[in-house]
Amino acid sequence: MNGKSLSPSKTRCYCDVVEIWLQTVYNIHGLVGVIGSAGVGLEINHRNGLIKVNLDSFRFNNQTEKEPTFQRRIVAIKGDCSLSNLGISKIDRAILTREVSIVFNVAATVRFNEKLKSAITINIRSLRDLINLSKEMPKLKSFVHVSTVYANCLYNPIEEKFYDPPIDADKLIDLVNSLEEKMLDYITPKLLGRCPNTYVYTKSVAESVVKKHAGTIPIGIFRPGIVISTYKEPVSGWIDNVYGPVGITASVIIGLMRIHHCDGLVKANLIPGDLTINGLIASAWDIANNPR
C-alpha cells in the first residue's frame, strides 16, 4: 500500500528479485541494481570502471533460452548501506535518478546480535537516504520497503497497519551519531526495552520512516515471514544460505545436531523464497496502481 503494510500469505538478496522478475517480464527497459559491500551472490567483474554482473548460472537458464541478450539490460552500481548517502557516487546517483521507476529496498543486516549503531545505520539511515534519493526520480512509480512480520512481534495479532515505533527515527540516528560506541553499547538494553534484539528494534523504527514519507512518494511496506528454499523457481528446493530453519535442517541431516530446544506449540511463519519474491513484485504493482 501507499502507507500500507503488506504481510504475505525476507530476502536480503537483490539477485533474487532480478531472477523472478526476469522469468516473467521480458519487455522491461532495464534493471539497475545497487551492489552492497558484501555483494549479492552474483559474480562481479570490474572492467574499465564498469561493473559487469555474470549471470551464467542454472538459475537463469529460463531467461537465457527465452531472451539470450537479457544481461545487457542489467546495470550494477556499487554502493554501501553503511555509508552516508549509500556510498553511491555522483555519476551513479545521476543514473539512478534518471532511469529508475521502481525501487525495492531489500538491503538489511539481519543479525540478531548486531551492534546497535551498525543496525541503525544499515536498517534505518540507509532507508531514509534511499527515500530521499527516490524523491529525485521523476519516473518513480513504486517504492517497496522490505520489512519483516517480526518488526511488530510484540503485538498479537499483527495487523496490516502501522504501529507506533519505540523511538523517533531521526532522534535515534542523531543519538547514535553523538555517542561513542562504548556508551551506546551500555545503554542498548534500555533502548531496546521489550524488543528482543537490535534487528527487531531497528526494523520497527524503520517502518515509521516509511509512514513519515507515505504522502510524498508511492511507497509501501512488505512484511514477509521466515524465508526458506524455493517452491518451484528457478528449481524446487534451491537456496543459497543456511539461515534459520534451513541451517537447523542441514545440521540435522549431516548429523551435527541431534537435539534442538523449542516450543512445539509455536507455529513457524515459513514462506518459500520464490513465493516471497512473487509477493514482493505484486506489492510493487499494487503500490503503483492502487494508491491509498
Side-chain angles (χ1 to χ4, degrees):
M1 70 173 179
N2 287 348
K4 176 181 94 170
S5 49
L6 297 174
S7 301
S9 305
K10 175 179 162 212
T11 177
R12 58 181 296 183
C13 186
Y14 179 85
C15 66
D16 291 338
V17 179
V18 174
E19 287 179 39
I20 306 302
W21 188 288
L22 289 176
Q23 285 181 351
T24 55
V25 183
Y26 297 98
N27 60 351
I28 55 177
H29 179 69
L31 291 170
V32 180
V34 178
I35 309 300
S37 59
V40 294
L42 300 179
E43 184 182 349
I44 309 297
N45 287 334
H46 297 261
R47 293 182 180 176
N48 301 322
L50 298 177
I51 301 177
K52 181 182 178 182
V53 183
N54 293 331
L55 302 179
D56 297 328
S57 166
F58 78 93
R59 292 175 292 171
F60 300 95
N61 287 344
N62 290 338
Q63 293 91 310
T64 302
E65 292 175 1
K66 295 179 180 179
E67 187 177 353
T69 62
F70 79 92
Q71 297 188 37
R72 298 177 185 175
R73 295 184 294 175
I74 299 176
V75 178
I77 288 178
K78 186 178 181 180
D80 190 336
C81 291
S82 66
L83 301 178
S84 178
N85 294 318
L86 307 172
I88 301 174
S89 68
K90 291 183 178 180
I91 294 177
D92 288 341
R93 189 180 182 92
I95 294 174
L96 291 171
T97 55
R98 183 178 67 249
E99 300 292 341
V100 172
S101 59
I102 299 175
V103 176
F104 295 101
N105 180 44
V106 191
T109 173
V110 298
R111 297 185 181 93
F112 291 169
N113 62 345
E114 187 75 76
K115 291 280 189 178
L116 185 58
K117 185 171 185 177
S118 178
I120 291 171
T121 300
I122 297 173
N123 291 349
I124 302 175
R125 193 188 71 180
S126 69
L127 169 62
R128 187 181 68 176
D129 290 345
L130 185 56
I131 289 176
N132 290 333
L133 174 60
S134 299
K135 291 181 178 179
E136 302 175 19
M137 301 174 179
K139 299 179 181 178
L140 184 67
K141 296 181 179 179
S142 181
F143 185 116
V144 188
H145 168 62
V146 178
S147 182
T148 168
V149 71
Y150 301 105
N152 305 286
C153 63
L154 300 180
Y155 300 90
N156 187 17
I158 300 171
E159 301 179 44
E160 290 193 2
K161 68 177 186 179
F162 286 104
Y163 290 88
D164 293 333
I167 189 174
D168 178 77
D170 292 328
K171 292 181 179 179
L172 183 60
I173 294 172
D174 292 340
L175 177 65
V176 299
N177 289 336
S178 62
L179 294 179
E180 294 183 357
E181 189 157 358
K182 185 176 180 180
M183 176 59 70
L184 190 58
D185 291 341
Y186 177 75
I187 66 172
T188 291
K190 295 185 180 297
L191 288 174
L192 294 185
R194 296 173 58 209
C195 289
N197 50 59
T198 56
Y199 172 68
V200 170
Y201 182 77
T202 53
K203 296 299 278 188
S204 175
V205 175
E207 289 198 357
S208 69
V209 178
V210 174
K211 181 181 179 181
K212 181 178 181 180
H213 296 274
T216 59
I217 59 174
I219 189 171
I221 294 173
F222 181 73
R223 293 176 180 160
I226 302 172
V227 179
I228 58 173
S229 55
T230 57
Y231 170 53
K232 285 185 177 180
E233 301 172 313
V235 293
S236 180
W238 178 84
I239 196 167
D240 66 348
N241 64 70
V242 288
Y243 297 151
V246 176
I248 295 174
T249 303
S251 298
V252 171
I253 291 175
I254 63 178
L256 290 179
M257 181 181 292
R258 302 299 177 92
I259 59 173
H260 180 67
H261 181 72
C262 61
D263 187 345
L265 299 178
V266 175
K267 296 181 180 179
N269 301 295
L270 307 179
I271 180 169
D274 50 343
L275 300 188
T276 303
I277 301 305
N278 291 344
L280 179 61
I281 295 173
S283 297
W285 179 91
D286 184 65
I287 292 168
N289 292 276
N290 298 301
R292 273 74 168 183

